[in-house]
Amino acid sequence: MIKAILVFNNHGKPRMSKFYQFYPEDLQQQIIRETFHLVSKRDDNVCNFLEGGTLIGGSDYKLIYRHYATLYFVFCVDSSESELGILDLIQVFVETLDKCFENVCELDLIFHVDKVHYILGELVMGGMVLETNMTEIMTRIEEQNKLEKSEVTFQKAALAGISAAPARAVSAVKDMNIPQKFKDMKLPDLPNFKLS
């Protein structure tokens, strides 16, 4: 089972974190710092698996990571997960991000955090791997994008209708030509009343 997924830059700034087990916020920050120190001090030519830090579970858990340009993608997993399977999952996650954002970079993770979490939710839910087929994942993302676009179009149309309503009302009143209607109005003759 996956316990946590962390993405941070070369300076240890978290760019995305997803914990599948409850930790208080301050402990989450400590886990991110400890994980960064464990992963960042390793050479690029060594294995991408290591024992989990003391805060995340020690030797019962493994940290499996990949370093791409300025970002570290780290999955903390228990012994039931395959290291090579998780490395492949990281690759699928990064390639999916790359397709969605057209050459993904750190800023995409910062400014599109909702979309990144949606993509991650298509791969992993509740610490369990859901899907590893990138074609399936991209199909779901495209469906979500279509829904978002249709919702935005509907909202724009609704706002255009609401904002145009006062102008249409004024135009309708002008078209009525009320002063001329008063002149053209024929009133019946009223009887003369005398006041005594």
Side-chain angles (χ1 to χ4, degrees), residues 114-189:
D114 55 336
K115 193 167 189 176
V116 173
H117 277 277
Y118 178 79
I119 293 166
L120 184 61
E122 289 294 318
L123 283 124
V124 179
M125 187 169 289
M128 303 297 287
V129 178
L130 291 178
E131 184 65 65
T132 58
N133 183 343
M134 196 175 345
T135 308
E136 278 294 315
I137 296 165
M138 287 305 298
T139 301
R140 300 297 160 254
I141 292 166
E142 287 165 7
E143 288 171 356
Q144 179 68 21
N145 288 343
K146 285 179 188 174
L147 280 173
E148 288 174 4
K149 284 180 184 174
S150 67
E151 188 176 296
V152 167
T153 304
F154 176 75
Q155 288 175 347
K156 284 182 180 177
L159 286 175
I162 291 171
S163 64
R168 285 195 305 261
V170 168
S171 173
V173 169
K174 283 183 181 176
D175 288 344
M176 291 173 68
N177 199 0
I178 293 175
Q180 186 61 39
K181 288 196 184 239
F182 278 127
K183 288 179 185 175
D184 294 344
M185 195 180 307
K186 297 206 189 282
L187 296 173
D189 290 332

Side-chain angles (χ1 to χ4, degrees), residues 43-159:
D43 289 331
D44 287 338
N45 58 353
V46 297
C47 177
N48 290 26
F49 321 135
L50 67 146
E51 269 187 14
T54 56
L55 296 173
I56 196 92
S59 61
D60 295 338
Y61 288 88
K62 294 173 268 186
L63 298 176
I64 302 169
Y65 70 96
R66 297 286 298 257
H67 185 205
Y68 296 95
T70 62
L71 294 170
Y72 287 94
F73 290 79
V74 183
F75 282 51
C76 176
V77 300
D78 64 15
S79 58
S80 68
E81 294 289 344
S82 161
E83 291 96 343
L84 293 175
I86 295 296
L87 272 179
D88 187 45
L89 186 64
I90 294 172
Q91 184 70 28
V92 169
F93 182 43
V94 172
E95 285 182 22
T96 304
L97 289 172
D98 206 44
K99 279 189 175 184
C100 287
F101 296 113
E102 299 172 12
N103 200 6
V104 69
C105 68
E106 190 173 341
L107 290 175
D108 292 320
L109 300 183
I110 294 168
F111 292 117
H112 303 286
V113 69
D114 55 336
K115 193 167 189 176
V116 173
H117 277 277
Y118 178 79
I119 293 166
L120 184 61
E122 289 294 318
L123 283 124
V124 179
M125 187 169 289
M128 303 297 287
V129 178
L130 291 178
E131 184 65 65
T132 58
N133 183 343
M134 196 175 345
T135 308
E136 278 294 315
I137 296 165
M138 287 305 298
T139 301
R140 300 297 160 254
I141 292 166
E142 287 165 7
E143 288 171 356
Q144 179 68 21
N145 288 343
K146 285 179 188 174
L147 280 173
E148 288 174 4
K149 284 180 184 174
S150 67
E151 188 176 296
V152 167
T153 304
F154 176 75
Q155 288 175 347
K156 284 182 180 177
L159 286 175

